[in-house]
Amino acid sequence: MKIALPLIILAFPTLLWGDAGFSISYRSTPVIVEKNWLNDTNWPDQTAFYEGIVTQRTLNMVSLNIYFDDTVKAHDKKTTGGHYEYRHYISVYEEPSRKYPAGRMIEKEIDIGDATAEEINAKNAWRDEKVPKVYKKKIWVDKKVDGWLPDWLNPNKGAGYIAGVNFNYAAEKDLVEYYSGDIYIGKRFFILPHLFHIYFKVGPSFARYNYDFVDRSLFTETKIGGFYNIGLQFLVAKGIKVFAEAEFRGYGPAPMSDSFNLEKSNVEFVNALPPFSKNYKDTNISKKWARDLITQGIRFGLKFNL
């Protein structure tokens, strides 16, 4: 019930005017694994001792995501309407410049109060000095977008805020098994309305590690951390999107009280914009770099709208 209530609160407005659905994705996730084990092969003749290895691997991570996009504001509308109105202008000469060596005529909007253009022009006809003629134009004025936030954060302009939950599973044979749950919020920005978006999302994560695939109770730990993603998505068919994400994920060093990690094994996520090195200056752009862009770190997946 504790989990169901927040999901219902998110889902109700989303189904009314947002984009809700689920996605599946895959990520080859770079990690550093410290794997320890108790060597007691010669016990009791020889005292048992710990030994281990530290190795950099990639975990094959599969994720299921339930998303509630545009929960605050739906779809890709810059404004919700507008109106035509008449405004008054004069044509004035702009002095020559480097960009316009012969000078040019520009249109300048003016305020003539309650008078008409004809009344102003009739009055100016009797003046000794020459005054530009006033004329009126019918123009379209967009409706003002509500909200006090800047445009790039304003949910009333462009794509709205996003929210959701992730369920992740990854494993590397004989080393580690990892599964986690995330909850996130974020913001989506459109490049081409309905077709192409970029977005970010951030939130807490709850992870479980198993370092022994047989006797799990003695070699497991639970940690709390966080993650954030930056991604882009394309609409490929009605209700179906393809997306790619760069993900940054980390967990605190202290496990929770229900952990019992007898051999003190550990997993650390390698957080660098894939496939860049942590020291970005050391990155070598090559064919291997292009291959690693796909195989080490970028998450690929499909979204399905409900």
Side-chain angles (χ1 to χ4, degrees), residues 29 46 49 114-115 135 140 207 242 244 249 304:
T29 309
Q46 182 178 332
F49 61 93
D114 296 330
Y135 57 93
W140 174 260
V242 174
R249 182 177 293 270
F304 303 91

Side-chain angles (χ1 to χ4, degrees), residues 32-299:
I32 296 174
V33 180
E34 179 184 352
K35 177 69 173 179
N36 302 313
W37 57 88
L38 183 66
N39 189 335
D40 59 356
T41 54
N42 296 323
W43 188 87
D45 297 330
Q46 182 178 332
T47 303
F49 61 93
Y50 282 107
E51 62 181 0
I53 58 170
V54 176
T55 180
Q56 181 162 346
R57 299 294 183 92
T58 55
L59 299 183
N60 297 308
M61 184 183 295
V62 178
S63 298
L64 172 66
N65 165 238
I66 301 173
Y67 61 86
F68 309 98
D69 289 357
D70 290 336
T71 301
V72 175
K73 179 67 179 177
H75 307 302
D76 302 326
K77 296 180 180 178
K78 287 186 176 179
T79 61
T80 56
H83 63 277
Y84 283 103
E85 66 179 42
Y86 285 102
R87 294 186 180 180
H88 295 89
Y89 298 85
I90 58 174
S91 184
V92 297
Y93 177 69
E94 185 179 74
E95 295 294 330
S97 62
R98 178 173 295 182
K99 188 174 182 180
Y100 303 101
R104 61 172 182 163
M105 301 300 295
I106 61 173
E107 192 173 64
K108 184 178 180 181
E109 184 179 353
I110 61 170
D111 182 5
I112 62 172
D114 296 330
T116 65
E118 291 76 15
E119 290 173 339
I120 295 295
N121 290 329
K123 293 289 185 181
N124 288 334
W126 297 96
R127 297 171 64 91
D128 293 333
E129 67 272 17
K130 190 173 182 181
V131 178
K133 187 176 180 179
V134 178
Y135 57 93
K136 68 179 181 179
K137 287 178 62 177
K138 186 179 182 181
I139 64 169
W140 174 260
V141 179
D142 287 329
K143 182 179 179 180
K144 185 179 179 180
V145 178
D146 296 330
W148 53 271
L149 291 171
D151 287 349
W152 70 280
L153 280 177
N154 192 344
N156 295 311
K157 182 169 185 179
Y161 289 94
I162 61 178
V165 291
N166 299 324
F167 303 97
N168 312 300
Y169 176 81
E172 179 68 17
K173 185 178 180 181
D174 297 329
L175 286 178
V176 66
E177 183 181 45
Y178 161 90
Y179 43 100
S180 66
D182 315 322
I183 184 169
Y184 67 84
I185 59 172
K187 182 73 170 73
R188 194 172 70 173
F189 310 90
F190 67 80
I191 306 301
L192 295 174
H194 301 292
L195 298 178
F196 179 33
H197 298 86
I198 59 174
Y199 58 88
F200 74 88
K201 49 190 180 182
V202 60
S205 180
F206 181 88
R208 187 85 167 177
Y209 301 84
N210 290 318
Y211 298 102
D212 190 303
F213 288 44
V214 179
D215 193 355
R216 297 169 185 263
S217 62
L218 298 178
F219 308 96
T220 186
E221 63 182 1
T222 305
K223 291 184 176 182
I224 295 178
F227 81 104
Y228 68 93
N229 287 11
I230 52 177
L232 52 87
Q233 63 183 29
F234 297 88
L235 180 70
V236 294
K238 184 175 177 59
I240 302 176
K241 301 181 182 76
V242 174
F243 67 91
E245 297 175 349
E247 183 174 273
F248 303 83
R249 182 177 293 270
Y251 297 91
M256 296 183 67
S257 58
D258 65 339
S259 303
F260 193 88
N261 185 4
L262 181 65
E263 296 173 343
K264 307 301 181 185
S265 297
N266 185 56
V267 171
E268 177 187 350
F269 286 83
V270 179
N271 287 315
L273 188 63
F276 294 88
S277 64
K278 278 195 170 183
N279 183 355
Y280 292 99
K281 294 184 295 184
D282 296 338
T283 301
N284 181 26
I285 307 298
S286 62
K287 289 183 179 180
K288 182 179 182 300
W289 178 90
R291 182 174 65 251
D292 289 347
L293 180 64
I294 298 174
T295 61
Q296 292 189 18
I298 293 291
R299 180 186 302 284

